[in-house]
Amino acid sequence: MYVHEDYPYPLNPLTKTYGYYPQGQMNSVCQPSCGEAELMSLPVHAALQGRELWDKFNKVGTEMLITKTGRRMFPSCRVTVMGLNPKVKYVLMMDMVPFDNNKYKWNRDHWEVSGKSEPHLPNRFFIHPDSPALGERWMQYPISFHKLKLTNNTLNSKGLVVLHSMHKYQPRLHIVQSPDPCGGHSGGYLRFTFPEASFIAVTSYQNHEITKLKIDNNPFAKGFRDNGLSRKRFRDKDMHQKSVSGQQQNRTQNHQASLLDTDDEEDEQVSSSVESTGALCLPHMKAAPMPVSNPFLSAFMKSGGAGLACGQEELSQSTISHQSQHMLNSKNRDSRRPDDNLQYMCASLPEAHSTRIPMPQQQPCHSPDIQTPAVLQIYSAQAKLHQSLHLPPKLSRMQLPESVFRSLDSNPKPLSDIFNTIRARVVAKDSQIIPQHEQTASGSNREEKALIFPAVQDCGATFCTEQYTGHATEWPAFNGNTGQSSTEPRSVAFSQLGEYTGESAAGK
DNA sequence: TCTTCTAACACGTTTGAAATGG
DNA sequence: ACCATTTCAAACGTGTTAGAAG
């Protein structure tokens, strides 16, 4: 068994978001209890950004190009996470899971099922290069996975996400809490799927409407927009081969004139798919600097603990807009497009289906006082924050700390590199923090320190455990059907193995 | 014949090193 | 000498296209 079937957590009527709520805390402020894996005790929310754009694609039927060398997604996955403990480290990953068990084909103007899906490929994760990082950092800005690449090449070793063409997938976000060697937290694992971002993987676009949407919204495809140049390029090339060199000049001029007319016609037919649906939000863009340093955290606080029914007002779109604008100005290359600003500003929190992986083995807190202040701080600050939030001034890239950019410009490094990087960080950190007696108590050998991401291991994907340190005993032992103990070291490269299939995930 | 896939292509964007100016 | 800004070329990302493969 992989894990339990994904199931949606209750819809919060206030924020209209799905999120993980600790048991019995749907209507109260979260008070993490000592001894519970902290991640499991927080009302964690994940929201997909750019919902407007996703909706546009969804209406038509989103397609994502996959190539041998890897192709980025567009729209890309940008996620905001709320409800994490600001002072605890988390690893964020994303993968693609089958949307259903069907294979599709394009039939003239619509997608139709053409049979059963092929056996699922080994699962691969795109690990956010900033991982592990503090919850504070993850909540501060939208987490961009825009450099995640999709491929159909099963032999790639560059950390690309491998998909089957003509199959439907949906993104899934994994939040893995790093074990806290001092606090005695067991870590934890949450995952969120985004059905609204589902797509069919294709090797060439089938639906022309999708192509238009991509061209209209993706800045890299500007060259193909109906400006009378790009399309003419191809036609010119074609015509050039047929034209007679002696009479070329006059004929070309006439031809270009006719082409321009043609393009004009197309312009009428294919009006830009980007609409100023967020016009109402625009006035906010001129607002004053925001008094809260962490826009998402403040949004979270204002909204009543990320959607908890605490008697707070519904998280208004304008509130989101204020926060979002900060992110817009802060960086995010996509924000150069005014269209994207609108998406951002007007984005409501989309639905995300989350799954909680229970922690069968809890450990007592060594120091409860260390565990809770950061969380309580959020809720106390929430009560104090009544004034409306203001917009920050526009910031240039140069004005912002490099750390801000890193998350948004994360490079899709090979998984081995990512793991090496994480390992280096963990090793460096552990060497400073872990008391000597704990190091020996938990086992100083690699075997016992190997499982820093057991939940993912249980997904079937295997990590190169040689590259990790951690405390195996601090991780749950909800074991998969591999028959292998979760604490048993696995020495197979992460990028090469992994038996996760949708079937196994569903327990079939 | 049809569907799916691949590689080359041109164009626009991004990036980072070098050049420039204060 | 130092720092901030500008310039520019290479790298990268994009959809299109023709043709290959099954």
Side-chain angles (χ1 to χ4, degrees), chain A residues 419 450 457 462-468 490-495:
Chain A
F419 279 102
Q457 286 189 326
T462 311
F463 291 89
C464 183
T465 57
E466 292 278 320
Q467 300 179 358
Y468 288 93
R490 304 175 189 183
S491 58
V492 186
F494 165 73
S495 59

Side-chain angles (χ1 to χ4, degrees), chain A residues 269-416:
Chain A
Q269 294 169 359
V270 190
S271 60
S272 172
S273 61
V274 181
E275 301 164 355
S276 298
T277 54
L280 290 174
C281 302
L282 283 173
H284 297 310
M285 296 177 74
K286 294 179 180 177
M290 187 170 60
V292 179
S293 62
N294 186 331
F296 267 87
L297 195 57
S298 59
F300 160 71
M301 293 185 288
K302 182 177 173 62
S303 68
L308 288 176
C310 302
Q312 295 279 351
E313 289 180 0
E314 179 176 349
L315 180 63
S316 67
Q317 278 203 340
S318 61
T319 303
I320 288 293
S321 301
H322 283 96
Q323 317 315 322
S324 302
Q325 181 58 27
H326 180 75
M327 261 74 69
L328 279 172
N329 294 333
S330 68
K331 190 205 151 195
N332 205 341
R333 295 194 155 52
D334 294 344
S335 69
R336 289 185 176 190
R337 294 174 293 145
D339 306 334
D340 212 40
N341 294 8
L342 296 179
Q343 297 158 20
Y344 231 16
M345 294 178 66
C346 299
S348 58
L349 294 173
E351 300 169 1
H353 295 174
S354 65
T355 300
R356 172 193 182 183
I357 286 49
M359 310 294 289
Q361 185 179 351
Q362 309 293 356
Q363 295 194 355
C365 291
H366 295 166
S367 174
D369 290 336
I370 296 176
Q371 181 184 3
T372 53
V375 179
L376 296 177
Q377 222 172 7
I378 297 173
Y379 297 107
S380 61
Q382 163 201 329
K384 295 174 187 172
L385 191 68
H386 290 301
Q387 73 273 28
S388 60
L389 300 173
H390 304 290
L391 271 177
K394 285 196 173 183
L395 299 173
S396 72
R397 179 189 176 95
M398 302 304 294
Q399 291 174 284
L400 292 165
E402 193 59 33
S403 59
V404 172
F405 303 137
R406 254 180 278 147
S407 62
L408 303 168
D409 279 342
S410 51
N411 292 316
K413 302 170 187 171
L415 284 178
S416 56

Side-chain angles (χ1 to χ4, degrees), chain A residues 20-231:
Chain A
Y20 166 64
Y21 299 94
Q23 206 165 15
Q25 293 183 5
M26 265 296 279
N27 299 306
S28 63
V29 172
C30 169
Q31 298 282 353
S33 60
C34 182
E36 186 177 8
E38 184 166 338
L39 182 56
M40 318 309 293
S41 65
L42 296 172
V44 179
H45 278 253
L48 187 69
Q49 293 293 298
R51 176 109 189 244
E52 301 257 327
L53 189 59
W54 278 108
D55 283 347
K56 284 180 186 174
F57 279 84
N58 236 340
K59 276 183 184 175
V60 184
T62 312
E63 298 173 24
M64 293 291 176
L65 212 57
I66 56 175
T67 67
K68 195 174 180 179
T69 54
R71 199 76 152 185
R72 286 186 181 182
M73 293 175 68
F74 187 87
S76 60
C77 291
R78 286 185 302 165
V79 180
T80 57
V81 177
M82 295 181 288
L84 299 175
N85 184 335
K87 301 303 177 189
V88 170
K89 285 191 171 184
Y90 302 91
V91 173
L92 266 67
M93 301 178 289
M94 183 162 278
D95 68 343
M96 302 295 155
V97 289
F99 189 83
D100 52 32
N101 290 323
N102 297 325
K103 184 178 182 180
Y104 293 83
K105 72 173 181 180
W106 179 253
N107 190 358
R108 292 189 178 185
D109 60 351
H110 67 279
W111 286 101
E112 61 183 30
V113 176
S114 71
K116 274 225 155 193
S117 64
E118 295 177 31
H120 297 302
L121 295 162
N123 218 21
R124 296 200 185 174
F125 297 85
F126 177 85
I127 302 175
H128 199 287
D130 272 10
S131 301
L134 295 173
E136 182 182 47
R137 177 258 164 277
W138 294 123
M139 293 187 293
Q140 192 167 14
Y141 301 99
I143 304 153
S144 175
F145 289 90
H146 73 280
K147 289 194 173 180
L148 182 156
K149 282 186 173 181
L150 308 176
T151 184
N152 56 349
N153 180 15
T154 56
L155 300 177
N156 87 83
S157 59
K158 298 177 182 176
L160 311 177
V161 177
V162 186
L163 304 179
H164 276 310
S165 178
M166 302 297 173
H167 286 61
K168 195 169 186 178
Y169 296 90
Q170 59 185 336
R172 182 170 61 177
L173 173 72
H174 303 256
I175 303 175
V176 183
Q177 181 178 332
S178 295
D180 180 356
C182 291
H185 301 153
S186 304
Y189 173 41
L190 291 174
R191 65 187 189 194
F192 299 84
T193 56
F194 301 98
E196 69 270 31
S198 61
F199 61 88
I200 295 178
V202 296
T203 53
S204 60
Y205 291 122
Q206 308 296 311
N207 187 349
H208 195 51
E209 291 298 313
I210 284 293
T211 309
K212 289 171 186 171
L213 272 175
K214 299 236 179 189
I215 290 173
D216 284 344
N217 292 281
N218 192 335
F220 281 109
K222 265 186 181 175
F224 300 99
R225 290 180 187 171
D226 285 327
N227 55 10
L229 296 173
S230 57
R231 297 193 177 184

Side-chain angles (χ1 to χ4, degrees), chain A residues 420-432:
Chain A
N420 279 325
T421 303
I422 296 172
R423 178 220 174 218
R425 294 177 191 173
V426 171
V427 167
K429 195 71 181 175
D430 280 1
S431 63
Q432 297 171 359

Side-chain angles (χ1 to χ4, degrees), chain A residues 216-255:
Chain A
D216 284 344
N217 292 281
N218 192 335
F220 281 109
K222 265 186 181 175
F224 300 99
R225 290 180 187 171
D226 285 327
N227 55 10
L229 296 173
S230 57
R231 297 193 177 184
K232 187 176 66 179
R233 170 166 56 92
F234 293 102
R235 294 172 189 171
D236 270 345
K237 183 184 174 183
D238 183 52
M239 294 303 292
H240 181 74
Q241 294 170 349
K242 299 175 184 175
S243 64
V244 181
S245 59
Q247 303 167 333
Q248 197 171 13
Q249 237 178 350
N250 281 340
R251 287 187 181 182
T252 302
Q253 286 172 356
N254 293 335
H255 178 58

